[in-house]
Amino acid sequence: MKKLRRQFELFCYKNRSKGVPNLMLYISLGTAVVYVMSQMAGNAFLYQLLYFDRARILQGEIWRLFTYPLTYNAGSVLLTAISLLCYYSLGRSMESIWGTLRFNLFYFSGMVMMDVYCMIFGGNASVAYLNLSLFLSYATLFPDARFLLFFIIPVRAWIFALLDLGITVLDVIQLSYPVFLFPYNLFPLVALANYFLFFGRDVLNVIPMSWRAKLGRRGPAKPRRAKVIPFASHESSREAPAYTHRCTVCGRTDVTNPELEFRYCSRCKGYYCYCQDHINNHVHVE
C-alpha cells in the first residue's frame, strides 16, 4: 500500500500541471452566480436545474451529477460570501502545494463517492460536507495556520479541524435519532471518505505534536539504537553524487533545482530528505 501511494504521489507530481487550473475559482464564481440569481425576485430556475435529484438523473438529466456543487447555500448572503471566499483561498493554497492534477482528483473523487452513494441508497447529495473535507485537508497540511474567528480572535487550523470532525459525528447522530435512518445517516462520513483516501495515516497531523508526544510516552520505554550517519570515505569521494540534498519522492536535487529548499523528516525512520513540495506531503518511512 505504501509503495502504491508513493507511485501515486510521483505520478501526480510528474503531471501536476494537468487538469483544470484554478478549479475552486470557477466553482466559487459559479456558486455565487447561482445564489445571486436564485435570490433575485425569488427566481430559483437555475437552482432547480442544477441541484442533485436522483429521480431526474435516472430520467436522463446526467449533468446533475456534476453541477450540484454550484447550489451551495450557507443561509444568509454574508455567510455564503465568506464561505465561498474561504473555500477559494483554501483550494488555491492546496493546489499550489499538491499541483493541479492531485487537487482535481481530490475534489472530483469526493463528488463521485457522494454520487454513487446517493444513486444507490437515495437521498440528495450535498456539497457542504465536501467543502468541510476541503478545510480539513488544509488543516492537515498546515495545522499551525491561524484563522481569525469573528475577524478578531486568532485560532489555529487544527482546532477548527477537530471541531469539523465533531460536527460531522454529531450530524451522523442527529440523522440516527429518533429514527435510525440507515444508511442515510452515514452520508456525512461518505462525503469525507476522500479525505482519508488521500491522506491515509497523515490524518494524525491534525493532532498537535505535543499531544502525540505525550501519548507516545505513556507506553513502556523501548531501547533505541543510535543512528549511524554514513560518511563517504576519501577513497569513495570520486563516486559521491554531485549534489548535497535529493528529494526522496520526486528526485530533484539542490543542483538541478537550486531554487528549492530541502528538509529532513523527523518522523521517518532514517535520514530521508524531501523538497519543500513534499516535506509535508509524503508517506513516512517506518
Side-chain angles (χ1 to χ4, degrees):
M1 189 65 180
K2 293 181 180 179
K3 184 178 180 181
L4 181 62
R5 283 181 58 85
R6 183 164 299 180
Q7 291 177 348
F8 171 74
E9 293 175 356
L10 184 59
F11 171 78
C12 290
Y13 172 76
K14 291 182 178 179
N15 302 274
R16 59 181 291 126
S17 61
K18 296 181 179 180
V20 182
N22 296 323
L23 176 64
M24 287 308 300
L25 174 62
Y26 300 134
I27 293 178
S28 299
L29 290 178
T31 303
V33 171
V34 174
Y35 180 82
V36 170
M37 294 189 63
S38 300
Q39 297 297 318
M40 294 175 57
N43 183 11
F45 170 76
L46 191 57
Y47 175 87
Q48 296 292 335
L49 185 65
L50 301 178
Y51 81 99
F52 188 95
D53 190 319
R54 182 173 180 267
R56 295 185 179 182
I57 293 174
L58 293 176
Q59 293 176 1
E61 299 181 5
I62 306 297
W63 66 84
R64 295 179 183 270
L65 292 170
F66 310 101
T67 58
Y68 69 90
L70 303 179
T71 61
Y72 174 76
N73 187 341
S76 64
V77 177
L78 180 60
L79 287 178
T80 302
I82 294 176
S83 299
L84 293 180
L85 181 61
C86 179
Y87 292 137
Y88 163 71
S89 178
L90 299 180
R92 285 291 299 154
S93 298
M94 290 183 60
E95 184 176 347
S96 65
I97 296 297
W98 275 358
T100 301
L101 177 62
R102 185 168 182 177
F103 181 74
N104 283 190
L105 292 176
F106 170 78
Y107 200 88
F108 289 135
S109 64
M111 291 176 53
V112 171
M113 289 181 182
M114 291 189 294
D115 289 339
V116 173
Y117 189 84
C118 291
M119 290 301 295
I120 294 177
F121 299 105
N124 293 326
S126 172
V127 75
Y129 294 107
L130 181 58
N131 290 337
L132 287 178
S133 71
L134 179 66
F135 177 81
L136 191 60
S137 302
Y138 178 85
T140 305
L141 294 175
F142 308 99
D144 292 328
R146 298 193 178 189
F147 294 88
L148 293 179
L149 183 63
F150 305 117
F151 302 98
I152 299 176
I153 306 174
V155 181
R156 294 187 182 275
W158 65 266
I159 297 178
F160 279 119
L162 295 181
L163 290 175
D164 183 359
L165 291 175
I167 292 174
T168 303
V169 174
L170 287 177
D171 288 344
V172 173
I173 296 176
Q174 289 178 356
L175 291 175
S176 304
Y177 181 85
V179 180
F180 185 60
L181 299 177
F182 180 84
Y184 307 107
N185 62 313
L186 299 181
F187 176 75
L189 301 181
V190 175
L192 294 178
N194 66 315
Y195 165 72
F196 296 98
L197 176 65
F198 272 74
F199 282 90
R201 293 185 59 183
D202 289 339
V203 299
L204 297 177
N205 291 343
V206 176
I207 304 176
M209 289 291 295
S210 58
W211 293 12
R212 282 181 279 171
K214 290 180 180 179
L215 293 175
R217 287 195 296 266
R218 288 185 178 182
K222 298 181 180 180
R224 294 185 177 180
R225 298 180 58 184
K227 293 183 179 180
V228 179
I229 305 177
F231 292 94
S233 62
H234 178 71
E235 297 179 355
S236 60
S237 58
R238 296 181 179 178
E239 300 179 359
Y243 56 82
T244 305
H245 304 290
R246 179 179 182 274
C247 180
T248 307
V249 177
C250 63
R252 292 183 294 179
T253 67
D254 54 351
V255 176
T256 58
N257 298 86
E259 74 280 1
L260 296 178
E261 294 183 2
F262 293 85
R263 296 288 185 271
Y264 287 86
C265 181
S266 59
R267 292 182 56 188
C268 292
K269 291 188 177 180
Y271 291 87
Y272 290 90
C273 183
Y274 299 93
C275 65
Q276 62 189 35
D277 294 334
H278 295 102
I279 184 61
N280 294 318
N281 182 24
H282 65 270
V283 179
H284 296 291
V285 181
E286 298 181 354

